[in-house]
Amino acid sequence: MISFECDYNNGAHPKVLEKLLEDNSKQSRTYGLDEWTECAKQKIRTACGIQDASVWFLVGGTQTNATVIDSILHTYEGVVAVDSAHINTHEAGAIEFTEHKVITISGHDGKMSASDLDSFMDDFMHDVSYSRDTSFSHSVFPGMVYITFPTELGTIYSARELDDIYSICRKYGVPLYIDGARLGYGLMCDQCDMDMQYIASHCDAFYIGGTKVGALCGEAVVFTHNNVHPHFFSIVKQHGALVAKGRLIGTQFDALFTDNLYFDISRHAIDMAMKMKQIFVEKGWKFFVDSPTNQQFVIVSNDEVERLSKEVEFTHWSRFGPDHTVCRFVTSWSTTDDDIETLRQIVNG
């Protein structure tokens, strides 16, 4: 079997493993106070163009989202996201488990529109269904906005779209948080018109995904405006997210942010994805959404799904009528030309 199921089914990039082995015999301080973690933080600050950014390392995406969102929201607040958002569809209620509601609005190909967000916030603030003065006090208050880059459907925001969303957030005084589980793949795709510095300057917090982009595990959370909770360390520990051997994640990000590795391997995945996409185009399959990133969603007949499943691992994303299925195929930093050629032969039967 060959796998295009996801972008975290390999171990770590060889240079990440080399760095872990290189420093393995050295002793260090614990809980992320080691030299490699500090070095990684500084490299990330430089990449973001914000030297006073607060950088934290956590283990995985769900843990990161739950911890960051819980640290930002008050007890009576929820987080606004599109209906297809990862925190609403694929995190097993992790946000609700922290007793914060995910408040959904309609998405468009996985994306939130600034106009929809503005309309929602305006309607909420001017709701007179209870009384003129205290109406929204009866509701979960929208305390922050969550988007992903890329989205759950592999699409990306333009610089203008992100700027518009952030402007609405500032208009209503709510922070914007960006889930960057696949951030590298979004930044390095052909359609992207912004860089990490632009991302950092157009949100209040975001995270740089490592688990899906070359690390064994780990995500780097960046608070961009001196806005990290003063007791974030304790909040991380409350969520069971504090790694005693913090160097495990710090060392990996030190390697990923050396010599442009994070961006180079992300670009490789995009190159592989575009070759894979061409296979589907030549086959005549239709796309569920036009994704420029490493996730490709194609509409495949159920008979073909059954045939392919005998030789290829991929995600059966959703039904598409009675006779077809939306299938997700994903490339990663580890995908090779040989993998793509094997897929081509299987698809073409």
Side-chain angles (χ1 to χ4, degrees):
M1 294 284 284
I2 187 170
S3 180
F4 289 89
E5 182 183 14
C6 65
D7 39 21
Y8 46 97
N9 52 3
N10 277 71
H13 189 277
K15 290 186 178 180
V16 171
L17 293 177
E18 288 172 9
K19 183 64 176 174
L20 286 167
L21 286 172
E22 175 186 326
D23 300 316
N24 185 58
S25 61
K26 299 178 182 178
Q27 292 185 327
S28 67
R29 298 184 68 186
T30 54
Y31 300 110
L33 300 175
D34 57 276
E35 59 186 279
W36 305 284
T37 297
E38 185 52 45
C39 186
K41 288 181 178 182
Q42 189 53 48
K43 289 176 180 178
I44 288 172
R45 293 186 187 108
T46 298
C48 293
I50 305 175
Q51 289 304 314
D52 61 348
S54 182
V55 182
W56 299 76
F57 295 109
L58 285 83
V59 175
T62 299
Q63 178 195 76
T64 297
N65 286 333
T67 303
V68 172
I69 290 171
D70 193 31
S71 78
I72 292 175
L73 293 178
H74 293 291
T75 54
Y76 52 86
E77 292 178 322
V79 52
V80 181
V82 296
D83 43 16
S84 62
H86 194 67
I87 58 171
N88 188 52
T89 59
H90 290 111
E91 290 197 328
I95 306 306
E96 289 87 348
F97 191 72
T98 64
E99 300 186 353
H100 297 291
K101 183 176 182 177
V102 178
I103 306 167
T104 59
I105 61 177
S106 296
H108 309 276
D109 287 342
K111 296 194 291 184
M112 177 184 292
S113 79
S115 60
D116 286 349
L117 177 62
D118 192 19
S119 295
F120 168 79
M121 293 298 297
D122 185 65
D123 288 346
F124 182 88
M125 294 301 181
H126 294 92
D127 181 11
V128 293
S129 58
Y130 293 103
S131 70
R132 290 184 178 178
D133 298 324
T134 62
S135 57
F136 62 66
S137 297
H138 295 269
S139 304
V140 176
F141 195 89
M144 66 184 295
V145 173
Y146 165 100
I147 64 173
T148 60
F149 188 88
T151 71
E152 194 74 354
L153 296 178
T155 53
I156 63 167
Y157 293 90
S158 67
R160 176 62 184 272
E161 288 171 329
L162 180 57
D163 182 62
D164 288 346
I165 290 172
Y166 195 38
S167 294
I168 299 302
C169 289
R170 286 178 292 177
K171 174 182 176 180
Y172 292 99
V174 295
L176 174 63
Y177 168 56
I178 301 177
D179 178 334
R182 295 183 169 94
L183 184 65
Y185 302 135
L187 290 174
M188 298 311 294
C189 77
D190 292 335
Q191 290 186 17
C192 185
D193 61 353
M194 51 186 157
D195 57 16
M196 191 172 287
Q197 292 190 12
Y198 192 92
I199 294 280
S201 65
H202 286 76
C203 67
D204 298 282
F206 73 103
Y207 84 81
I208 304 166
T211 300
K212 295 179 172 70
V213 193
L216 285 171
C217 61
E219 328 296 337
V221 181
V222 182
F223 292 93
T224 59
H225 302 301
N226 294 311
N227 54 339
V228 64
H229 193 289
H231 302 292
F232 190 67
F233 183 97
S234 299
I235 294 171
V236 170
K237 184 149 190 171
Q238 280 188 332
H239 282 266
L242 186 62
V243 181
K245 295 182 180 180
R247 60 187 283 176
L248 170 64
I249 302 173
T251 300
Q252 293 182 81
F253 273 90
D254 188 13
L256 287 172
F257 278 81
T258 297
D259 297 331
N260 215 49
L261 180 62
Y262 186 78
F263 303 100
D264 288 344
I265 64 178
S266 296
R267 180 62 216 186
H268 170 79
I270 298 301
D271 290 342
M272 296 296 102
M274 294 305 102
K275 291 180 180 180
M276 179 175 69
K277 189 173 189 176
Q278 188 59 32
I279 295 172
F280 303 145
V281 170
E282 293 172 357
K283 184 69 174 177
W285 288 347
K286 302 299 183 182
F287 290 87
F288 181 66
V289 63
D290 185 15
S291 164
T293 61
N294 70 316
Q295 299 184 89
Q296 296 298 314
F297 297 82
V298 289
I299 302 169
V300 184
S301 71
N302 291 342
D303 288 342
E304 282 284 79
V305 170
E306 183 177 359
R307 180 180 72 85
L308 292 173
S309 296
K310 295 175 182 178
E311 299 182 78
V312 184
E313 290 185 337
F314 55 93
T315 301
H316 300 185
W317 191 259
S318 65
R319 294 179 179 178
F320 192 85
D323 302 319
H324 290 77
T325 300
V326 177
C327 300
R328 186 188 71 164
F329 293 79
V330 188
T331 61
S332 75
W333 59 271
S334 63
T335 305
T336 66
D337 282 312
D338 287 344
D339 294 333
I340 298 298
E341 182 56 33
T342 299
L343 179 64
R344 181 189 308 278
Q345 294 174 11
I346 295 171
V347 166
N348 292 328

